[in-house]
Amino acid sequence: MRRRELMLAAAAAPLAPAYGAPWKLRIPRLSAKASSGQSYPALLLGQALAAAGVATALEPTAEYIPQRRALLELGADRRLDVVWTMTSVERERLARPIRIPIFKGLFGWRLLLAPPEQAARLSAVRTLAELRQFSMLQGLEWPDAGVLQANGLNVVTSPSHDVMFRQLRLGRADAFPRSVEEIWWELDRHGQGLVVVPQLCLRYPAAVYFFVAPEATELAAALELGLQRLRASGAFDQLFAQHHEADLARARLAERRIIELSNPQLPAQTPLDKPELWYRP
């Protein structure tokens, strides 16, 4: 093994007594789509730790937990051991990131849900200046809300994910930007009276990481080692394709007009210089 991998393996070795055999790791239910231990992040988490030589038993919480609150619940004396969420400077102050983007940046590829009459208007948008004439719906504490605001967009926030679709139908906002990983699932379940805006896509750099408690150095080392091994073996790409290939094919990103946005909340340590970690159509 390379020197860095040997160091990571050595760091991971002492962790087993703290978590038992197999390690029992508490994970959150962050959304309806991620409510099962069979979700893509949970499967990737289990495979990564197995690749690091660790057997795991994942224990999802019974209830949904908002993302920021989940980060605050990390730690041996709290409710969670591992969380996955979009990174930001603030979130990396709260918890320890494993800086391998588990969705390859898909959460920065945004299609728009909108009522049909607004979708027709939005499909003609060609520039960021034109997009600023419309209002965008986002979650109250989501990093995406700050990204859109930093780009001069008018953002309407809501504390409830499920309520947002009704707000959109009632005209409280013109569109709801959703990642290509989320939008088709949400359209099928919550999209009555809504459509995906044709031809248009927003893109900004965004990374979803596994996060652990700041003091969980051994768990962090095991996760990094396992993810790197999955990438080297091709298992990472295989699992990614299995869970996202259909959504990406449906999105037809290469045929869309892409409006690039900046993300000032992105930490400087984000590995944007490693193209192999990111999806490109």
Side-chain angles (χ1 to χ4, degrees), residues 184-222:
W184 307 113
W185 186 88
E186 291 179 343
L187 182 66
D188 291 343
R189 287 157 182 79
H190 305 290
Q192 182 179 3
L194 303 173
V195 298
V196 176
V197 175
Q199 300 178 327
L200 190 64
C201 176
L202 312 183
R203 196 198 78 83
Y204 47 87
V208 173
Y209 294 144
F210 289 126
F211 284 84
V212 299
E215 66 275 10
T217 55
E218 297 91 351
L219 178 54

PDB file of all heavy atoms in Angstrom, residues 184-222:
ATOM      1  N   TRP A 184     -36.678  13.977  -9.781  1.00  0.00           N
ATOM      2  CA  TRP A 184     -37.624  13.056 -10.401  1.00  0.00           C
ATOM      3  C   TRP A 184     -38.411  12.307  -9.337  1.00  0.00           C
ATOM      4  O   TRP A 184     -39.612  12.060  -9.494  1.00  0.00           O
ATOM      5  CB  TRP A 184     -36.886  12.098 -11.330  1.00  0.00           C
ATOM      6  CG  TRP A 184     -36.035  12.818 -12.325  1.00  0.00           C
ATOM      7  CD1 TRP A 184     -34.670  12.829 -12.403  1.00  0.00           C
ATOM      8  CD2 TRP A 184     -36.479  13.706 -13.370  1.00  0.00           C
ATOM      9  NE1 TRP A 184     -34.244  13.649 -13.423  1.00  0.00           N
ATOM     10  CE2 TRP A 184     -35.329  14.196 -14.032  1.00  0.00           C
ATOM     11  CE3 TRP A 184     -37.740  14.116 -13.812  1.00  0.00           C
ATOM     12  CZ2 TRP A 184     -35.414  15.071 -15.108  1.00  0.00           C
ATOM     13  CZ3 TRP A 184     -37.826  15.003 -14.875  1.00  0.00           C
ATOM     14  CH2 TRP A 184     -36.673  15.463 -15.508  1.00  0.00           C
ATOM     15  N   TRP A 185     -37.731  11.941  -8.260  1.00  0.00           N
ATOM     16  CA  TRP A 185     -38.406  11.271  -7.141  1.00  0.00           C
ATOM     17  C   TRP A 185     -39.467  12.193  -6.553  1.00  0.00           C
ATOM     18  O   TRP A 185     -40.595  11.772  -6.268  1.00  0.00           O
ATOM     19  CB  TRP A 185     -37.368  10.891  -6.089  1.00  0.00           C
ATOM     20  CG  TRP A 185     -37.874  10.076  -4.957  1.00  0.00           C
ATOM     21  CD1 TRP A 185     -37.958   8.705  -4.886  1.00  0.00           C
ATOM     22  CD2 TRP A 185     -38.375  10.566  -3.700  1.00  0.00           C
ATOM     23  NE1 TRP A 185     -38.470   8.314  -3.665  1.00  0.00           N
ATOM     24  CE2 TRP A 185     -38.735   9.430  -2.932  1.00  0.00           C
ATOM     25  CE3 TRP A 185     -38.549  11.838  -3.155  1.00  0.00           C
ATOM     26  CZ2 TRP A 185     -39.257   9.548  -1.638  1.00  0.00           C
ATOM     27  CZ3 TRP A 185     -39.080  11.952  -1.879  1.00  0.00           C
ATOM     28  CH2 TRP A 185     -39.428  10.820  -1.133  1.00  0.00           C
ATOM     29  N   GLU A 186     -39.122  13.477  -6.378  1.00  0.00           N
ATOM     30  CA  GLU A 186     -40.065  14.435  -5.801  1.00  0.00           C
ATOM     31  C   GLU A 186     -41.208  14.737  -6.766  1.00  0.00           C
ATOM     32  O   GLU A 186     -42.356  14.917  -6.339  1.00  0.00           O
ATOM     33  CB  GLU A 186     -39.333  15.716  -5.414  1.00  0.00           C
ATOM     34  CG  GLU A 186     -38.383  15.526  -4.247  1.00  0.00           C
ATOM     35  CD  GLU A 186     -37.638  16.777  -3.855  1.00  0.00           C
ATOM     36  OE1 GLU A 186     -37.595  17.733  -4.660  1.00  0.00           O
ATOM     37  OE2 GLU A 186     -37.085  16.811  -2.740  1.00  0.00           O
ATOM     38  N   LEU A 187     -40.897  14.824  -8.052  1.00  0.00           N
ATOM     39  CA  LEU A 187     -41.950  15.068  -9.037  1.00  0.00           C
ATOM     40  C   LEU A 187     -42.992  13.953  -8.998  1.00  0.00           C
ATOM     41  O   LEU A 187     -44.201  14.208  -9.050  1.00  0.00           O
ATOM     42  CB  LEU A 187     -41.335  15.172 -10.437  1.00  0.00           C
ATOM     43  CG  LEU A 187     -42.307  15.469 -11.583  1.00  0.00           C
ATOM     44  CD1 LEU A 187     -42.900  16.857 -11.444  1.00  0.00           C
ATOM     45  CD2 LEU A 187     -41.601  15.312 -12.933  1.00  0.00           C
ATOM     46  N   ASP A 188     -42.548  12.714  -8.878  1.00  0.00           N
ATOM     47  CA  ASP A 188     -43.471  11.579  -8.847  1.00  0.00           C
ATOM     48  C   ASP A 188     -44.340  11.583  -7.595  1.00  0.00           C
ATOM     49  O   ASP A 188     -45.503  11.162  -7.639  1.00  0.00           O
ATOM     50  CB  ASP A 188     -42.686  10.257  -8.919  1.00  0.00           C
ATOM     51  CG  ASP A 188     -42.041  10.032 -10.272  1.00  0.00           C
ATOM     52  OD1 ASP A 188     -42.449  10.708 -11.243  1.00  0.00           O
ATOM     53  OD2 ASP A 188     -41.113   9.208 -10.354  1.00  0.00           O
ATOM     54  N   ARG A 189     -43.811  12.076  -6.464  1.00  0.00           N
ATOM     55  CA  ARG A 189     -44.525  11.976  -5.183  1.00  0.00           C
ATOM     56  C   ARG A 189     -45.203  13.267  -4.747  1.00  0.00           C
ATOM     57  O   ARG A 189     -46.195  13.224  -4.033  1.00  0.00           O
ATOM     58  CB  ARG A 189     -43.552  11.500  -4.098  1.00  0.00           C
ATOM     59  CG  ARG A 189     -43.213  10.023  -4.255  1.00  0.00           C
ATOM     60  CD  ARG A 189     -41.913   9.661  -3.598  1.00  0.00           C
ATOM     61  NE  ARG A 189     -41.616   8.237  -3.811  1.00  0.00           N
ATOM     62  CZ  ARG A 189     -41.109   7.746  -4.945  1.00  0.00           C
ATOM     63  NH1 ARG A 189     -40.840   8.553  -5.946  1.00  0.00           N
ATOM     64  NH2 ARG A 189     -40.875   6.460  -5.071  1.00  0.00           N
ATOM     65  N   HIS A 190     -44.656  14.403  -5.140  1.00  0.00           N
ATOM     66  CA  HIS A 190     -45.205  15.688  -4.674  1.00  0.00           C
ATOM     67  C   HIS A 190     -45.533  16.651  -5.812  1.00  0.00           C
ATOM     68  O   HIS A 190     -45.919  17.786  -5.541  1.00  0.00           O
ATOM     69  CB  HIS A 190     -44.187  16.382  -3.754  1.00  0.00           C
ATOM     70  CG  HIS A 190     -43.723  15.559  -2.604  1.00  0.00           C
ATOM     71  ND1 HIS A 190     -44.528  15.244  -1.534  1.00  0.00           N
ATOM     72  CD2 HIS A 190     -42.510  14.987  -2.341  1.00  0.00           C
ATOM     73  CE1 HIS A 190     -43.840  14.512  -0.660  1.00  0.00           C
ATOM     74  NE2 HIS A 190     -42.627  14.344  -1.131  1.00  0.00           N
ATOM     75  N   GLY A 191     -45.362  16.224  -7.037  1.00  0.00           N
ATOM     76  CA  GLY A 191     -45.365  17.164  -8.149  1.00  0.00           C
ATOM     77  C   GLY A 191     -46.688  17.396  -8.833  1.00  0.00           C
ATOM     78  O   GLY A 191     -46.705  17.896  -9.972  1.00  0.00           O
ATOM     79  N   GLN A 192     -47.810  17.080  -8.198  1.00  0.00           N
ATOM     80  CA  GLN A 192     -49.098  17.333  -8.834  1.00  0.00           C
ATOM     81  C   GLN A 192     -49.220  18.823  -9.171  1.00  0.00           C
ATOM     82  O   GLN A 192     -49.046  19.696  -8.311  1.00  0.00           O
ATOM     83  CB  GLN A 192     -50.239  16.915  -7.911  1.00  0.00           C
ATOM     84  CG  GLN A 192     -51.612  17.101  -8.524  1.00  0.00           C
ATOM     85  CD  GLN A 192     -52.723  16.654  -7.587  1.00  0.00           C
ATOM     86  OE1 GLN A 192     -52.467  16.254  -6.455  1.00  0.00           O
ATOM     87  NE2 GLN A 192     -53.963  16.708  -8.059  1.00  0.00           N
ATOM     88  N   GLY A 193     -49.515  19.140 -10.425  1.00  0.00           N
ATOM     89  CA  GLY A 193     -49.645  20.523 -10.849  1.00  0.00           C
ATOM     90  C   GLY A 193     -48.328  21.217 -11.100  1.00  0.00           C
ATOM     91  O   GLY A 193     -48.303  22.431 -11.344  1.00  0.00           O
ATOM     92  N   LEU A 194     -47.218  20.483 -11.072  1.00  0.00           N
ATOM     93  CA  LEU A 194     -45.895  21.056 -11.292  1.00  0.00           C
ATOM     94  C   LEU A 194     -45.195  20.312 -12.434  1.00  0.00           C
ATOM     95  O   LEU A 194     -45.531  19.160 -12.721  1.00  0.00           O
ATOM     96  CB  LEU A 194     -45.042  20.959 -10.019  1.00  0.00           C
ATOM     97  CG  LEU A 194     -45.617  21.599  -8.761  1.00  0.00           C
ATOM     98  CD1 LEU A 194     -44.733  21.276  -7.549  1.00  0.00           C
ATOM     99  CD2 LEU A 194     -45.768  23.111  -8.930  1.00  0.00           C
ATOM    100  N   VAL A 195     -44.213  20.957 -13.040  1.00  0.00           N
ATOM    101  CA  VAL A 195     -43.430  20.337 -14.113  1.00  0.00           C
ATOM    102  C   VAL A 195     -41.963  20.701 -13.911  1.00  0.00           C
ATOM    103  O   VAL A 195     -41.629  21.634 -13.180  1.00  0.00           O
ATOM    104  CB  VAL A 195     -43.888  20.804 -15.513  1.00  0.00           C
ATOM    105  CG1 VAL A 195     -45.329  20.407 -15.768  1.00  0.00           C
ATOM    106  CG2 VAL A 195     -43.706  22.311 -15.667  1.00  0.00           C
ATOM    107  N   VAL A 196     -41.092  19.950 -14.558  1.00  0.00           N
ATOM    108  CA  VAL A 196     -39.672  20.293 -14.598  1.00  0.00           C
ATOM    109  C   VAL A 196     -39.460  21.263 -15.761  1.00  0.00           C
ATOM    110  O   VAL A 196     -39.857  20.974 -16.896  1.00  0.00           O
ATOM    111  CB  VAL A 196     -38.799  19.036 -14.772  1.00  0.00           C
ATOM    112  CG1 VAL A 196     -37.322  19.424 -14.919  1.00  0.00           C
ATOM    113  CG2 VAL A 196     -38.983  18.104 -13.577  1.00  0.00           C
ATOM    114  N   VAL A 197     -38.849  22.400 -15.475  1.00  0.00           N
ATOM    115  CA  VAL A 197     -38.619  23.410 -16.506  1.00  0.00           C
ATOM    116  C   VAL A 197     -37.722  22.819 -17.593  1.00  0.00           C
ATOM    117  O   VAL A 197     -36.623  22.327 -17.293  1.00  0.00           O
ATOM    118  CB  VAL A 197     -37.960  24.668 -15.905  1.00  0.00           C
ATOM    119  CG1 VAL A 197     -37.607  25.681 -16.998  1.00  0.00           C
ATOM    120  CG2 VAL A 197     -38.895  25.299 -14.869  1.00  0.00           C
ATOM    121  N   PRO A 198     -38.154  22.835 -18.839  1.00  0.00           N
ATOM    122  CA  PRO A 198     -37.310  22.280 -19.913  1.00  0.00           C
ATOM    123  C   PRO A 198     -36.156  23.209 -20.247  1.00  0.00           C
ATOM    124  O   PRO A 198     -36.205  24.409 -19.984  1.00  0.00           O
ATOM    125  CB  PRO A 198     -38.287  22.166 -21.090  1.00  0.00           C
ATOM    126  CG  PRO A 198     -39.325  23.211 -20.818  1.00  0.00           C
ATOM    127  CD  PRO A 198     -39.458  23.298 -19.327  1.00  0.00           C
ATOM    128  N   GLN A 199     -35.098  22.629 -20.783  1.00  0.00           N
ATOM    129  CA  GLN A 199     -33.974  23.345 -21.397  1.00  0.00           C
ATOM    130  C   GLN A 199     -33.024  24.016 -20.416  1.00  0.00           C
ATOM    131  O   GLN A 199     -31.895  24.319 -20.780  1.00  0.00           O
ATOM    132  CB  GLN A 199     -34.483  24.412 -22.398  1.00  0.00           C
ATOM    133  CG  GLN A 199     -35.308  23.831 -23.532  1.00  0.00           C
ATOM    134  CD  GLN A 199     -35.831  24.887 -24.467  1.00  0.00           C
ATOM    135  OE1 GLN A 199     -36.133  25.992 -24.043  1.00  0.00           O
ATOM    136  NE2 GLN A 199     -35.933  24.553 -25.747  1.00  0.00           N
ATOM    137  N   LEU A 200     -33.441  24.254 -19.167  1.00  0.00           N
ATOM    138  CA  LEU A 200     -32.637  25.067 -18.262  1.00  0.00           C
ATOM    139  C   LEU A 200     -32.025  24.229 -17.145  1.00  0.00           C
ATOM    140  O   LEU A 200     -32.621  23.264 -16.667  1.00  0.00           O
ATOM    141  CB  LEU A 200     -33.506  26.166 -17.644  1.00  0.00           C
ATOM    142  CG  LEU A 200     -32.789  27.267 -16.853  1.00  0.00           C
ATOM    143  CD1 LEU A 200     -31.864  28.067 -17.765  1.00  0.00           C
ATOM    144  CD2 LEU A 200     -33.813  28.192 -16.198  1.00  0.00           C
ATOM    145  N   CYS A 201     -30.819  24.600 -16.717  1.00  0.00           N
ATOM    146  CA  CYS A 201     -30.141  23.957 -15.592  1.00  0.00           C
ATOM    147  C   CYS A 201     -29.276  25.000 -14.892  1.00  0.00           C
ATOM    148  O   CYS A 201     -28.634  25.825 -15.534  1.00  0.00           O
ATOM    149  CB  CYS A 201     -29.277  22.795 -16.096  1.00  0.00           C
ATOM    150  SG  CYS A 201     -28.286  21.990 -14.811  1.00  0.00           S
ATOM    151  N   LEU A 202     -29.274  24.972 -13.576  1.00  0.00           N
ATOM    152  CA  LEU A 202     -28.346  25.775 -12.788  1.00  0.00           C
ATOM    153  C   LEU A 202     -27.219  24.862 -12.322  1.00  0.00           C
ATOM    154  O   LEU A 202     -27.443  23.686 -12.020  1.00  0.00           O
ATOM    155  CB  LEU A 202     -29.036  26.387 -11.570  1.00  0.00           C
ATOM    156  CG  LEU A 202     -30.367  27.096 -11.781  1.00  0.00           C
ATOM    157  CD1 LEU A 202     -30.851  27.710 -10.470  1.00  0.00           C
ATOM    158  CD2 LEU A 202     -30.270  28.138 -12.865  1.00  0.00           C
ATOM    159  N   ARG A 203     -26.004  25.409 -12.249  1.00  0.00           N
ATOM    160  CA  ARG A 203     -24.900  24.602 -11.736  1.00  0.00           C
ATOM    161  C   ARG A 203     -23.983  25.444 -10.873  1.00  0.00           C
ATOM    162  O   ARG A 203     -23.627  26.574 -11.220  1.00  0.00           O
ATOM    163  CB  ARG A 203     -24.079  23.990 -12.871  1.00  0.00           C
ATOM    164  CG  ARG A 203     -23.176  22.836 -12.386  1.00  0.00           C
ATOM    165  CD  ARG A 203     -22.071  22.509 -13.358  1.00  0.00           C
ATOM    166  NE  ARG A 203     -20.993  23.478 -13.264  1.00  0.00           N
ATOM    167  CZ  ARG A 203     -20.015  23.417 -12.354  1.00  0.00           C
ATOM    168  NH1 ARG A 203     -19.968  22.448 -11.477  1.00  0.00           N
ATOM    169  NH2 ARG A 203     -19.060  24.332 -12.340  1.00  0.00           N
ATOM    170  N   TYR A 204     -23.637  24.881  -9.710  1.00  0.00           N
ATOM    171  CA  TYR A 204     -22.624  25.488  -8.854  1.00  0.00           C
ATOM    172  C   TYR A 204     -21.862  24.370  -8.153  1.00  0.00           C
ATOM    173  O   TYR A 204     -22.384  23.256  -7.977  1.00  0.00           O
ATOM    174  CB  TYR A 204     -23.249  26.447  -7.835  1.00  0.00           C
ATOM    175  CG  TYR A 204     -24.456  25.933  -7.089  1.00  0.00           C
ATOM    176  CD1 TYR A 204     -24.337  25.200  -5.905  1.00  0.00           C
ATOM    177  CD2 TYR A 204     -25.739  26.200  -7.563  1.00  0.00           C
ATOM    178  CE1 TYR A 204     -25.450  24.763  -5.218  1.00  0.00           C
ATOM    179  CE2 TYR A 204     -26.862  25.756  -6.876  1.00  0.00           C
ATOM    180  CZ  TYR A 204     -26.711  25.040  -5.703  1.00  0.00           C
ATOM    181  OH  TYR A 204     -27.825  24.590  -5.024  1.00  0.00           O
ATOM    182  N   PRO A 205     -20.598  24.598  -7.781  1.00  0.00           N
ATOM    183  CA  PRO A 205     -19.837  23.552  -7.097  1.00  0.00           C
ATOM    184  C   PRO A 205     -20.433  23.268  -5.725  1.00  0.00           C
ATOM    185  O   PRO A 205     -20.658  24.188  -4.932  1.00  0.00           O
ATOM    186  CB  PRO A 205     -18.428  24.144  -6.996  1.00  0.00           C
ATOM    187  CG  PRO A 205     -18.614  25.623  -7.118  1.00  0.00           C
ATOM    188  CD  PRO A 205     -19.815  25.823  -7.995  1.00  0.00           C
ATOM    189  N   ALA A 206     -20.728  22.009  -5.460  1.00  0.00           N
ATOM    190  CA  ALA A 206     -21.341  21.603  -4.194  1.00  0.00           C
ATOM    191  C   ALA A 206     -20.912  20.183  -3.873  1.00  0.00           C
ATOM    192  O   ALA A 206     -20.936  19.312  -4.750  1.00  0.00           O
ATOM    193  CB  ALA A 206     -22.862  21.689  -4.289  1.00  0.00           C
ATOM    194  N   ALA A 207     -20.529  19.960  -2.647  1.00  0.00           N
ATOM    195  CA  ALA A 207     -20.070  18.629  -2.232  1.00  0.00           C
ATOM    196  C   ALA A 207     -20.889  18.131  -1.061  1.00  0.00           C
ATOM    197  O   ALA A 207     -21.074  18.847  -0.074  1.00  0.00           O
ATOM    198  CB  ALA A 207     -18.595  18.683  -1.838  1.00  0.00           C
ATOM    199  N   VAL A 208     -21.404  16.917  -1.176  1.00  0.00           N
ATOM    200  CA  VAL A 208     -22.023  16.215  -0.053  1.00  0.00           C
ATOM    201  C   VAL A 208     -20.981  15.241   0.487  1.00  0.00           C
ATOM    202  O   VAL A 208     -20.445  14.413  -0.256  1.00  0.00           O
ATOM    203  CB  VAL A 208     -23.293  15.462  -0.481  1.00  0.00           C
ATOM    204  CG1 VAL A 208     -23.822  14.602   0.672  1.00  0.00           C
ATOM    205  CG2 VAL A 208     -24.365  16.446  -0.943  1.00  0.00           C
ATOM    206  N   TYR A 209     -20.681  15.373   1.762  1.00  0.00           N
ATOM    207  CA  TYR A 209     -19.674  14.526   2.414  1.00  0.00           C
ATOM    208  C   TYR A 209     -20.314  13.697   3.517  1.00  0.00           C
ATOM    209  O   TYR A 209     -21.395  14.028   4.037  1.00  0.00           O
ATOM    210  CB  TYR A 209     -18.606  15.389   3.102  1.00  0.00           C
ATOM    211  CG  TYR A 209     -17.717  16.228   2.236  1.00  0.00           C
ATOM    212  CD1 TYR A 209     -17.305  17.486   2.697  1.00  0.00           C
ATOM    213  CD2 TYR A 209     -17.248  15.804   0.998  1.00  0.00           C
ATOM    214  CE1 TYR A 209     -16.461  18.286   1.945  1.00  0.00           C
ATOM    215  CE2 TYR A 209     -16.398  16.592   0.247  1.00  0.00           C
ATOM    216  CZ  TYR A 209     -16.006  17.839   0.725  1.00  0.00           C
ATOM    217  OH  TYR A 209     -15.174  18.633  -0.021  1.00  0.00           O
ATOM    218  N   PHE A 210     -19.612  12.654   3.931  1.00  0.00           N
ATOM    219  CA  PHE A 210     -19.851  12.067   5.236  1.00  0.00           C
ATOM    220  C   PHE A 210     -19.192  12.974   6.272  1.00  0.00           C
ATOM    221  O   PHE A 210     -18.064  13.434   6.076  1.00  0.00           O
ATOM    222  CB  PHE A 210     -19.248  10.661   5.339  1.00  0.00           C
ATOM    223  CG  PHE A 210     -19.979   9.620   4.533  1.00  0.00           C
ATOM    224  CD1 PHE A 210     -19.298   8.838   3.606  1.00  0.00           C
ATOM    225  CD2 PHE A 210     -21.337   9.393   4.718  1.00  0.00           C
ATOM    226  CE1 PHE A 210     -19.955   7.876   2.863  1.00  0.00           C
ATOM    227  CE2 PHE A 210     -22.004   8.437   3.977  1.00  0.00           C
ATOM    228  CZ  PHE A 210     -21.311   7.672   3.049  1.00  0.00           C
ATOM    229  N   PHE A 211     -19.897  13.223   7.375  1.00  0.00           N
ATOM    230  CA  PHE A 211     -19.369  13.993   8.489  1.00  0.00           C
ATOM    231  C   PHE A 211     -19.394  13.129   9.742  1.00  0.00           C
ATOM    232  O   PHE A 211     -20.314  12.332   9.946  1.00  0.00           O
ATOM    233  CB  PHE A 211     -20.220  15.239   8.760  1.00  0.00           C
ATOM    234  CG  PHE A 211     -20.010  16.373   7.787  1.00  0.00           C
ATOM    235  CD1 PHE A 211     -20.683  16.395   6.576  1.00  0.00           C
ATOM    236  CD2 PHE A 211     -19.159  17.418   8.097  1.00  0.00           C
ATOM    237  CE1 PHE A 211     -20.508  17.443   5.683  1.00  0.00           C
ATOM    238  CE2 PHE A 211     -18.978  18.475   7.214  1.00  0.00           C
ATOM    239  CZ  PHE A 211     -19.652  18.494   6.007  1.00  0.00           C
ATOM    240  N   VAL A 212     -18.384  13.319  10.587  1.00  0.00           N
ATOM    241  CA  VAL A 212     -18.334  12.665  11.890  1.00  0.00           C
ATOM    242  C   VAL A 212     -18.035  13.730  12.940  1.00  0.00           C
ATOM    243  O   VAL A 212     -17.755  14.888  12.603  1.00  0.00           O
ATOM    244  CB  VAL A 212     -17.279  11.540  11.925  1.00  0.00           C
ATOM    245  CG1 VAL A 212     -17.598  10.457  10.900  1.00  0.00           C
ATOM    246  CG2 VAL A 212     -15.879  12.090  11.697  1.00  0.00           C
ATOM    247  N   ALA A 213     -18.072  13.355  14.208  1.00  0.00           N
ATOM    248  CA  ALA A 213     -17.761  14.301  15.277  1.00  0.00           C
ATOM    249  C   ALA A 213     -16.303  14.747  15.159  1.00  0.00           C
ATOM    250  O   ALA A 213     -15.448  13.980  14.690  1.00  0.00           O
ATOM    251  CB  ALA A 213     -18.007  13.657  16.638  1.00  0.00           C
ATOM    252  N   PRO A 214     -15.982  15.970  15.567  1.00  0.00           N
ATOM    253  CA  PRO A 214     -14.598  16.460  15.450  1.00  0.00           C
ATOM    254  C   PRO A 214     -13.570  15.544  16.101  1.00  0.00           C
ATOM    255  O   PRO A 214     -12.449  15.406  15.604  1.00  0.00           O
ATOM    256  CB  PRO A 214     -14.658  17.818  16.153  1.00  0.00           C
ATOM    257  CG  PRO A 214     -16.077  18.259  15.998  1.00  0.00           C
ATOM    258  CD  PRO A 214     -16.892  17.002  16.094  1.00  0.00           C
ATOM    259  N   GLU A 215     -13.954  14.891  17.195  1.00  0.00           N
ATOM    260  CA  GLU A 215     -12.998  14.040  17.917  1.00  0.00           C
ATOM    261  C   GLU A 215     -12.927  12.611  17.377  1.00  0.00           C
ATOM    262  O   GLU A 215     -12.075  11.820  17.814  1.00  0.00           O
ATOM    263  CB  GLU A 215     -13.373  13.993  19.405  1.00  0.00           C
ATOM    264  CG  GLU A 215     -14.695  13.306  19.729  1.00  0.00           C
ATOM    265  CD  GLU A 215     -15.919  14.207  19.616  1.00  0.00           C
ATOM    266  OE1 GLU A 215     -15.781  15.333  19.094  1.00  0.00           O
ATOM    267  OE2 GLU A 215     -17.001  13.775  20.059  1.00  0.00           O
ATOM    268  N   ALA A 216     -13.765  12.259  16.395  1.00  0.00           N
ATOM    269  CA  ALA A 216     -13.831  10.880  15.897  1.00  0.00           C
ATOM    270  C   ALA A 216     -12.770  10.635  14.826  1.00  0.00           C
ATOM    271  O   ALA A 216     -13.073  10.319  13.673  1.00  0.00           O
ATOM    272  CB  ALA A 216     -15.234  10.577  15.369  1.00  0.00           C
ATOM    273  N   THR A 217     -11.521  10.761  15.199  1.00  0.00           N
ATOM    274  CA  THR A 217     -10.421  10.673  14.230  1.00  0.00           C
ATOM    275  C   THR A 217     -10.297   9.275  13.630  1.00  0.00           C
ATOM    276  O   THR A 217      -9.987   9.131  12.438  1.00  0.00           O
ATOM    277  CB  THR A 217      -9.100  11.066  14.893  1.00  0.00           C
ATOM    278  OG1 THR A 217      -8.906  10.258  16.060  1.00  0.00           O
ATOM    279  CG2 THR A 217      -9.108  12.530  15.308  1.00  0.00           C
ATOM    280  N   GLU A 218     -10.523   8.232  14.433  1.00  0.00           N
ATOM    281  CA  GLU A 218     -10.380   6.871  13.918  1.00  0.00           C
ATOM    282  C   GLU A 218     -11.480   6.532  12.922  1.00  0.00           C
ATOM    283  O   GLU A 218     -11.234   5.922  11.883  1.00  0.00           O
ATOM    284  CB  GLU A 218     -10.384   5.866  15.077  1.00  0.00           C
ATOM    285  CG  GLU A 218      -9.217   6.040  16.036  1.00  0.00           C
ATOM    286  CD  GLU A 218      -9.553   6.969  17.190  1.00  0.00           C
ATOM    287  OE1 GLU A 218     -10.622   7.613  17.153  1.00  0.00           O
ATOM    288  OE2 GLU A 218      -8.745   7.065  18.133  1.00  0.00           O
ATOM    289  N   LEU A 219     -12.697   6.935  13.243  1.00  0.00           N
ATOM    290  CA  LEU A 219     -13.808   6.702  12.324  1.00  0.00           C
ATOM    291  C   LEU A 219     -13.582   7.460  11.017  1.00  0.00           C
ATOM    292  O   LEU A 219     -13.805   6.930   9.925  1.00  0.00           O
ATOM    293  CB  LEU A 219     -15.122   7.127  12.977  1.00  0.00           C
ATOM    294  CG  LEU A 219     -16.396   6.994  12.142  1.00  0.00           C
ATOM    295  CD1 LEU A 219     -16.569   5.580  11.599  1.00  0.00           C
ATOM    296  CD2 LEU A 219     -17.609   7.412  12.963  1.00  0.00           C
ATOM    297  N   ALA A 220     -13.117   8.688  11.114  1.00  0.00           N
ATOM    298  CA  ALA A 220     -12.821   9.482   9.912  1.00  0.00           C
ATOM    299  C   ALA A 220     -11.758   8.796   9.062  1.00  0.00           C
ATOM    300  O   ALA A 220     -11.875   8.728   7.830  1.00  0.00           O
ATOM    301  CB  ALA A 220     -12.359  10.882  10.315  1.00  0.00           C
ATOM    302  N   ALA A 221     -10.714   8.284   9.706  1.00  0.00           N
ATOM    303  CA  ALA A 221      -9.641   7.617   8.970  1.00  0.00           C
ATOM    304  C   ALA A 221     -10.146   6.357   8.268  1.00  0.00           C
ATOM    305  O   ALA A 221      -9.785   6.078   7.127  1.00  0.00           O
ATOM    306  CB  ALA A 221      -8.498   7.272   9.917  1.00  0.00           C
ATOM    307  N   ALA A 222     -10.999   5.592   8.953  1.00  0.00           N
ATOM    308  CA  ALA A 222     -11.543   4.382   8.345  1.00  0.00           C
ATOM    309  C   ALA A 222     -12.432   4.712   7.148  1.00  0.00           C
ATOM    310  O   ALA A 222     -12.369   4.043   6.114  1.00  0.00           O
ATOM    311  CB  ALA A 222     -12.332   3.590   9.387  1.00  0.00           C
TER     312      ALA A 222
END
